[in-house]
Amino acid sequence: MTNNSVTQSQVASTLQLALWSHEPEQQDGDARQTNAVGLYDLAPRFVFASGERGGEERRDNAHVESVTRSFAYNGEPYVITLDPARVTRRVRTDAEYKTVRIEALPGEREQVVEEVIRRLATERTRLMLVDGDNRRNAKVQMRFSFYEIQKELARVRRTLSITEIKEALLILSKTFLTIEQPADHPGGSATLLQSTAFPVVAMRGGKGVSVRLDDDGEVGGNTETYLEFNPLVAKAIMSLKFQSISYEMLMKIRNPVSWWLYKSLSLHYHNSGDVEPMAIRAGDIITNSGMNRSKRHRDTLRAIKVAVEVLVTQGVLAGYEKESERGAGPEIVDVTYALRPSEQFLEQIRRGKALAEQNARTLRQLAQPEDLDDQGRPRGPIPIDRVSESALRRDRRSLLKRVDMEVPVIDAAAQG
């Protein structure tokens, strides 16, 4: 393994892409998994409802303002700015259709489409590395068709037309994201991402020529399409900084705040050594999730309570306790929740941790010393041969069978 050159033909022989993928046996029924990328997935990148500039009623219009939000991740402050996409849309006026140009920000539709794409990306041989040198700059691309996205959306009971999927991808690929730490941060300002969700989205046209997704004309559902993941997600894949979470649990959730809470819980317990209830304040949910703030604060707090109860109904939480904080008067100004994870949810966490631990062992076994940095993370793409890749898959199947047969040890007190 002394040759680290990366070409498009090495899709199946790159260690990081092999470890990112999930085996077909993991994708049956309720066992389907996806991979979460902490900062990127928890950043408030979507606009769901009215109440702020760019809200749902004005999320797409002739002109939409940029949205800037402050949020925290792992106790560190960040700022995200979303600059709207500019796309064309056919609209019906009286008895005819006309094409208009609009500005739009990603909302719930785009969130779901992106999650489906990320799940498809975990299938074997979906991803490829292109344009990389010996150590750095390899870009992660994925091949797919619109019908594949539409079929998976239908399976999880989300219905979108090919035209709607195309527009969602256009908005994701044209909404410019900037994630940075503020200038007054003790460690100084730092920009972590300046990109779109998918910097490149293109289709294979006639005679193999690539055509832009926003070119005029109908989109063929079976047309071979490819996209490129943004640098933050690509870096997470190549450095193995991702966590396996339950895709099936996630996609059963329809409430956007509940969706964000589910990912927060997943990442919290993945990194935690215990199963004690996770404490979180309503004020932090409001700030960090990007949820809409109602005109009356009590309505916002009520929306959070609804979001928490959705997770109880879906079997993510066994229950919760809450403690209200009042201001100078009788009004409740904040609520602290203690969220108790369910046994079903913790079983999924246990699977994810087992996979992460095996990934780390595999990296130590197959990488050469020069492949790793001082923290033991890959410096760049690490090629592996076919025999090693087959053994990797076999070991993973064996591991998950053992994990599924084990009886999880769950703190009865924590479960109430």
Side-chain angles (χ1 to χ4, degrees):
M1 292 186 310
T2 58
N3 180 9
N4 275 348
S5 62
V6 180
T7 67
Q8 209 163 309
S9 63
Q10 292 177 310
V11 176
S13 58
T14 303
L15 179 59
Q16 290 96 322
L17 299 188
L19 295 178
W20 166 270
S21 67
H22 290 293
E23 290 300 295
E25 291 82 356
Q26 298 168 248
Q27 305 291 14
D28 292 335
D30 291 338
R32 284 185 178 87
Q33 302 284 300
T34 190
N35 295 320
V37 177
L39 174 62
Y40 182 74
D41 279 345
L42 293 183
R45 297 180 290 114
F46 301 96
V47 176
F48 300 112
S50 60
E52 64 175 287
R53 290 187 303 173
E56 185 65 47
E57 293 177 355
R58 287 167 291 173
R59 188 180 68 80
D60 50 11
N61 211 327
H63 176 68
V64 174
E65 296 286 343
S66 298
V67 170
T68 298
R69 294 166 167 168
S70 297
F71 69 102
Y73 173 73
N74 277 350
E76 293 289 327
Y78 295 91
V79 176
I80 182 171
T81 301
L82 298 89
D83 294 322
R86 293 172 176 82
V87 300
T88 57
R89 175 185 292 174
R90 291 190 70 199
V91 297
R92 187 177 181 86
T93 58
D94 298 327
E96 61 179 7
Y97 284 92
K98 69 175 183 178
T99 299
V100 298
R101 181 169 290 275
I102 64 166
E103 295 183 348
L105 290 166
E108 187 173 358
R109 179 186 66 177
E110 286 71 32
Q111 183 183 49
V112 171
V113 169
E114 182 181 24
E115 201 65 50
V116 165
I117 288 170
R118 288 265 294 277
R119 210 288 296 167
L120 292 175
T122 66
E123 294 178 353
R124 192 189 311 170
T125 74
R126 281 283 186 180
L127 300 185
M128 69 190 89
L129 299 182
V130 298
D131 298 337
D133 59 23
N134 285 341
R135 284 295 186 184
R136 300 179 299 276
N137 304 327
K139 297 176 182 178
V140 180
Q141 291 189 351
M142 170 187 168
R143 291 182 180 179
F144 63 97
S145 73
F146 286 93
Y147 277 146
E148 287 175 324
I149 295 177
Q150 189 179 49
K151 181 180 178 180
E152 176 60 16
L153 285 167
R155 191 190 69 79
V156 295
R157 300 185 179 181
R158 317 280 181 127
T159 302
L160 290 178
S161 68
I162 296 297
T163 299
E164 289 172 318
I165 295 169
K166 174 188 174 183
E167 185 177 277
L169 275 171
L170 277 171
I171 292 172
L172 287 165
S173 67
K174 291 190 171 190
T175 299
F176 196 81
L177 309 172
T178 301
I179 300 177
E180 56 193 344
Q181 292 192 298
D184 59 357
H185 184 263
S189 177
T191 300
L192 289 89
L193 179 68
Q194 286 184 317
S195 180
T196 67
F198 306 124
V200 174
V201 182
M203 299 178 296
R204 190 72 64 188
K207 299 182 179 180
V209 177
S210 293
V211 295
R212 289 161 53 92
L213 187 62
D214 56 356
D215 285 346
D216 292 334
E218 295 297 322
V219 177
N222 283 323
T223 303
E224 183 183 55
T225 307
Y226 65 90
L227 60 77
E228 180 183 307
F229 287 99
N230 67 67
L232 196 57
V233 173
K235 183 178 179 181
I237 295 172
M238 300 312 295
S239 61
L240 303 182
K241 290 184 178 180
F242 53 84
Q243 295 81 35
S244 175
I245 66 173
S246 172
Y247 172 78
E248 292 303 309
M249 275 190 169
L250 177 66
M251 297 304 283
K252 289 176 182 177
I253 297 169
R254 300 302 179 107
N255 182 305
V257 182
S258 305
W259 181 299
W260 181 88
L261 276 171
Y262 174 79
K263 287 199 171 183
S264 296
L265 283 159
S266 296
L267 295 170
H268 170 81
Y269 284 105
H270 183 91
N271 296 318
S272 175
D274 60 47
V275 293
E276 293 297 317
M278 186 184 89
I280 188 168
R281 296 170 67 91
D284 292 332
I285 296 172
I286 295 168
T287 299
N288 298 330
S289 70
M291 69 176 290
N292 173 49
R293 299 171 188 249
S294 300
K295 291 182 179 180
R296 297 186 302 181
H297 187 59
R298 66 175 179 270
D299 291 337
T300 304
L301 295 178
R302 186 178 298 114
I304 292 172
K305 183 174 182 288
V306 169
V308 171
E309 290 178 344
V310 166
L311 296 184
V312 176
T313 301
Q314 293 296 335
V316 176
L317 296 178
Y320 68 92
E321 286 76 42
K322 64 188 182 77
E323 182 178 345
S324 300
E325 177 184 331
R326 299 182 185 275
E331 183 179 359
I332 297 173
V333 296
D334 208 345
V335 178
T336 298
Y337 286 88
L339 307 179
R340 293 186 286 113
S342 69
E343 180 175 339
Q344 180 186 8
F345 173 78
L346 289 174
E347 288 174 356
Q348 297 296 330
I349 295 298
R350 187 164 51 94
R351 287 171 61 92
K353 282 188 172 184
L355 286 172
E357 291 166 1
Q358 187 190 58
N359 285 353
R361 288 194 300 271
T362 302
L363 178 64
R364 291 193 296 269
Q365 291 168 0
L366 298 182
Q368 298 294 327
E370 62 270 20
D371 292 330
L372 306 178
D373 62 19
D374 293 340
Q375 284 75 45
R377 295 286 183 180
R379 294 181 185 274
I382 301 175
I384 57 172
D385 57 46
R386 299 287 181 175
V387 173
S388 297
E389 187 179 10
S390 296
L392 183 158
R393 295 199 195 100
R394 187 168 57 250
D395 290 346
R396 176 170 288 191
R397 289 193 293 268
S398 177
L399 170 75
L400 289 176
K401 286 180 181 179
R402 293 196 306 272
V403 170
D404 290 342
M405 291 176 63
E406 293 174 1
V407 177
V409 178
I410 299 176
D411 187 343
Q415 288 300 302

